[in-house]
DNA sequence: TGTATACAAATTGTATACGAAAAACAACTT
DNA sequence: AAGTTGTTTTTCGTATACAATTTGTATACA
């Protein structure tokens, strides 16, 4: 869901879709800074389309929690606040552990094999271009993981939540080279699922989420970006 | 969030907003049956606007999980499946108990007083028109309750989830006269929050959600609507 | 100087027209 | 009768033009 025009999984190339992806990426990679003001006209110029596809893209980004519309003033890139980061991570913990609890009992060996293939994803430290790609694949991994819960609505919610958090994750990546660390975290999770070890799966994902949160908070404290404290 | 054009809480009347609300209500009250096919043109005619606001409305309803778009075929009202009902209720249990857990420790006496005012909402048995209004106010109550958690993202998720479940709730209402029962359930919850009794708050809401689920499943078994079994 | 008012500018909201892509259908071939 | 091809119809996607609404500004007046 929230994936635009789809034909049973195949995505049609539409201008609105392109604008959505491009704009989203630019927000996530902080090319558009939190608080920045963007008008439809401006965006239409920037991304080479008319205002109609821009409107559609902005509408979706509003639901993604990345943009806010102020009538007759324009769109504004949502601020990143410590509160919001905390809220999101609390929810991520709640929902992702729940998903894995279900997955541990419902996933087949086949499912897990398929998952292994995309667990192996890394990025190149200091290569900003690779960050965005990594974030996409990392998101896909977590979504596939969630899909093992066999609860479609849960997957949709997690997709939205994690999608909205990509911007946070981006902050954490440049802080240090965690590429291989994160990769082995992925593989460890799949391994534990293979062993049908629900308790350890839960505590494992819990630790991973905590360390992800810590990475990001450390990046913020390192003054990598100025942000409102509440 | 997900509330269309807003000026600090005040909602502007826009055609797209009207179409969204009207169409949503018609889907929730089953005026558009699950599986029904709707084209943009058709909807524009039905709701007296051009296709542009219809597109926007349908886009939002897709994210709400009420519509699906099949390119070049039209929009289709999503089916109601037992699986989906189960999934949604599982999530509701998880998220709403979590929200109340937070609320129990974070809500002020003032918050609770304000909540009491909207807890008292009923519907008139067999008066279908009153059902939709009741569902709206009931949703508002649960959202306000969730807001006491002070986790804005959680509120947004619950708004989407419960919003998408309105159609299920609708089914349950006509099964019997639960108006006063639901009202006292609301009041009981607020009462327990007042007493700062977290454990009982949780078990209370758990019971209420269970009985809500049972009502709906009973309505379905009573063959009130034909639906796919998986 | 302060305030009210009228006007101009900026921005979004909506309708409409046109084009592209897919689906539905019919005619044709084998 | 089945499959294939070509045409028509349907439906969506996009650009553009215009209307509605708000904001900001300048001006007149007290």
């Amino acid at each position: 869901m929230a994936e635009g025009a789809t034909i049973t999984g195949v995505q049609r190339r539409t201008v609105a879709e392109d604008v959505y992806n491009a704009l989203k990426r630019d927000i996530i990679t902080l090319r558009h800074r939190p608080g920045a003001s963007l008008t439809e006209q401006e965006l239409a110029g920037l991304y080479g389309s008319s205002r109609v596809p821009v409107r559609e893209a902005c509408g979706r980004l509003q639901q993604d929690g990345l943009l806010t519309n102020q009538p007759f003033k324009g769109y504004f890139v949502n601020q990143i606040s410590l509160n919001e980061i905390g809220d999101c991570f609390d929810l991520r913990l709640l929902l992702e552990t729940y998903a894995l609890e279900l997955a541990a009992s419902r996933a087949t060996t086949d499912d897990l094999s398929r998952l292994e293939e995309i667990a192996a994803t890394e990025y190149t430290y200091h290569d900003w271009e690779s960050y965005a790609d990594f974030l996409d694949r990392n998101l896909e991994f977590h979504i596939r993981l969630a899909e093992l819960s066999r609860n479609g609505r849960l997957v949709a919610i997690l997709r939205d939540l994690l999608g909205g958090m990509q911007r946070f994750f981006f902050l954490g990546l440049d802080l240090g080279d965690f590429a291989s660390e994160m990769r082995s975290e992925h593989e460890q999770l799949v391994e534990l699922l293979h062993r049908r070890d629900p308790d350890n799966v839960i505590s494992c994902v819990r630790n991973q989420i905590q360390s992800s949160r810590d990475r990001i908070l450390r990046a913020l404290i390192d003054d990598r970006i100025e942000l409102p404290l509440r």
Side-chain angles (χ1 to χ4, degrees), chain A:
Chain A
M1 250 148 268
E3 286 299 308
T6 59
I7 324 175
T8 53
V10 181
Q11 254 146 81
R12 284 159 59 217
R13 280 213 95 62
T14 143
V15 177
E17 188 76 11
D18 288 347
V19 172
Y20 173 77
N21 287 323
L23 180 50
K24 185 174 186 177
R25 174 169 290 214
D26 285 346
I27 293 173
I28 288 172
T29 58
L30 302 177
R31 192 160 176 275
H32 296 300
R33 282 325 192 79
S37 149
L38 305 162
T39 70
E40 290 181 1
Q41 225 161 13
E42 196 177 341
L43 290 169
L46 262 174
Y47 295 100
S49 79
S50 76
R51 274 178 47 225
V52 177
V54 167
R55 276 178 72 77
E56 186 178 322
C58 289
R60 289 171 62 189
L61 288 167
Q62 267 187 286
Q63 291 215 323
D64 291 345
L66 291 177
L67 288 181
T68 300
N69 176 259
Q70 281 201 328
F72 301 99
K73 294 212 156 174
Y75 293 86
F76 292 85
V77 180
N78 284 167
Q79 294 285 357
I80 297 176
S81 74
L82 284 179
N83 267 346
E84 197 198 347
I85 294 178
D87 287 353
C88 286
F89 270 100
D90 288 346
L91 285 168
R92 190 186 166 195
L93 204 55
L94 182 73
L95 291 167
E96 218 161 343
T97 53
Y98 179 63
L100 277 175
E101 200 179 306
L102 294 178
S105 67
R106 296 181 182 177
T108 69
T109 311
D110 245 29
D111 290 332
L112 296 174
S113 307
R114 272 193 296 276
L115 200 58
E116 269 167 0
E117 292 168 19
I118 55 172
T121 167
E122 301 196 358
Y123 63 97
T124 309
Y125 186 39
H126 279 146
D127 173 9
W128 277 41
E129 284 308 309
S130 79
Y131 291 1
D133 292 332
F134 170 77
L135 286 178
D136 282 346
R137 289 195 306 274
N138 184 56
L139 177 60
E140 198 196 339
F141 174 78
H142 284 275
I143 295 304
R144 290 284 179 83
L145 207 55
E147 277 170 351
L148 303 184
S149 72
R150 303 274 197 275
N151 182 327
R153 185 69 72 147
L154 173 59
V155 175
I157 291 176
L158 265 173
R159 194 199 312 276
D160 284 353
L161 180 66
L162 295 176
M165 295 175 75
Q166 298 267 71
R167 218 164 32 142
F168 309 157
F169 301 147
F170 181 82
L171 288 171
L173 291 186
D174 201 50
L175 183 68
D177 192 351
F178 302 104
S180 60
E181 180 181 330
M182 292 176 76
R183 174 182 174 157
S184 69
E185 282 179 353
H186 286 182
E187 289 166 345
Q188 190 187 352
L189 261 187
V190 180
E191 170 66 19
L192 287 173
L193 280 171
H194 258 305
R195 286 202 226 142
R196 306 277 162 199
D197 189 348
D199 289 346
N200 276 322
V201 169
I202 302 294
S203 65
C204 177
V205 75
R206 192 180 301 271
N207 284 335
Q208 292 181 14
I209 293 175
Q210 300 283 16
S211 69
S212 168
R213 182 208 305 251
D214 291 345
R215 259 200 307 277
I216 288 159
L217 292 181
R218 215 170 338 129
L220 290 173
I221 292 164
D222 270 22
D223 187 337
R224 207 155 288 264
I225 183 175
E226 67 298 330
L227 87 173
L229 281 177
R230 44 146 274 113

